[in-house]
């Protein structure tokens, strides 16, 4: 497509990808269900089950929290936000390995939890190992680790 419409071939890749993305977004307005109540592909029994599951899950999530601009302003006006003495690029690059590992662990725990069907037990093991590691880190003194 090099030269079509006066555009180089590489530009057409972005144009076609953009058109496809916009068409998918428009189609998703009619394809995706807004909520299980309006999903045509679910039976009544499945609808009730999904709604109950969502209600039980929302007890432990932040889904019910209301956005407050006060929290944004509190973080922006906190002096510690502006006094940091590091370069933003270097600080952001230092966080990459941690988030990459967190992504891999999240995926592994999700797959394992779905396969065995006991997310609670997995969370208890992870919490226990985290508590142990935190206590070990707090026990570090003079470069030496003291464990009970």
């Amino acid at each position: 497509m090099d030269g079509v419409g006066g555009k180089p071939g590489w530009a057409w890749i972005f144009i076609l990808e953009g058109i496809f993305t916009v068409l998918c977004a428009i189609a998703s307005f009619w394809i995706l269900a807004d909520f299980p109540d309006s999903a045509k592909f679910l039976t009544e029994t499945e609808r009730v089950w999904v709604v109950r599951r969502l209600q039980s899950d929302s007890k432990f999530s932040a889904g019910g929290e209301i956005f407050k601009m006060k929290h944004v302003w509190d973080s922006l006006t906190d002096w510690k936000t502006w006094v940091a003495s590091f370069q933003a690029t270097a600080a952001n690059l230092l966080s990459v390995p941690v988030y990459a590992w967190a992504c891999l662990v999240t995926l592994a725990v999700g797959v394992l939890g779905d396969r065995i069907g006991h997310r609670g037990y997995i969370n208890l093991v992870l919490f226990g190992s985290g508590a142990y590691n935190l206590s070990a880190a707090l026990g570090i003194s003079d470069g030496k680790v003291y464990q009970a």
Side-chain angles (χ1 to χ4, degrees), residues 61-75:
S61 72
E65 285 187 25
I66 298 171
F67 174 78
K68 295 180 182 170
M69 196 63 183
K70 178 188 180 308
H71 299 302
V72 175
W73 288 117
D74 286 347
S75 66

Side-chain angles (χ1 to χ4, degrees), residues 7 12 19 26 42 55 66 69 79 85-86 90 97-98 107 112-113 115 120 133:
K7 303 269 188 242
W12 279 106
I19 290 171
I26 292 169
L42 293 175
Q55 288 171 343
I66 298 171
M69 196 63 183
W79 65 271
S85 61
F86 53 81
V98 175
L107 290 171
L112 182 64
R115 297 213 183 219
N133 290 325

Side-chain angles (χ1 to χ4, degrees), residues 47-58:
R47 241 184 238 118
V48 170
W49 183 82
V50 171
V51 169
R52 285 185 183 163
R53 182 72 184 255
L54 286 171
Q55 288 171 343
S56 70
D57 280 352
S58 69

Side-chain angles (χ1 to χ4, degrees), residues 50-131:
V50 171
V51 169
R52 285 185 183 163
R53 182 72 184 255
L54 286 171
Q55 288 171 343
S56 70
D57 280 352
S58 69
K59 291 178 188 173
F60 304 107
S61 72
E65 285 187 25
I66 298 171
F67 174 78
K68 295 180 182 170
M69 196 63 183
K70 178 188 180 308
H71 299 302
V72 175
W73 288 117
D74 286 347
S75 66
L76 290 175
T77 57
D78 187 2
W79 65 271
K80 294 183 289 296
T81 305
W82 301 102
V83 180
S85 61
F86 53 81
Q87 296 292 326
T89 303
N92 287 333
L93 290 175
L94 288 173
S95 70
V96 169
V98 175
Y99 284 105
W101 176 249
C103 178
L104 293 175
V105 170
T106 301
L107 290 171
V109 167
V111 168
L112 182 64
D114 286 344
R115 297 213 183 219
I116 66 172
H118 296 289
R119 281 188 259 163
Y121 295 132
I122 295 171
N123 287 334
L124 285 174
V125 169
L126 291 174
F127 175 75
S129 69

Side-chain angles (χ1 to χ4, degrees), residues 36-37 39-51:
D37 287 342
K40 296 177 182 124
F41 57 89
L42 293 175
T43 66
E44 189 59 35
T45 306
E46 291 171 333
R47 241 184 238 118
V48 170
W49 183 82
V50 171
V51 169

Side-chain angles (χ1 to χ4, degrees), residues 1-9 11-12:
M1 293 188 69
D2 193 24
V4 175
K7 303 269 188 242
W12 279 106

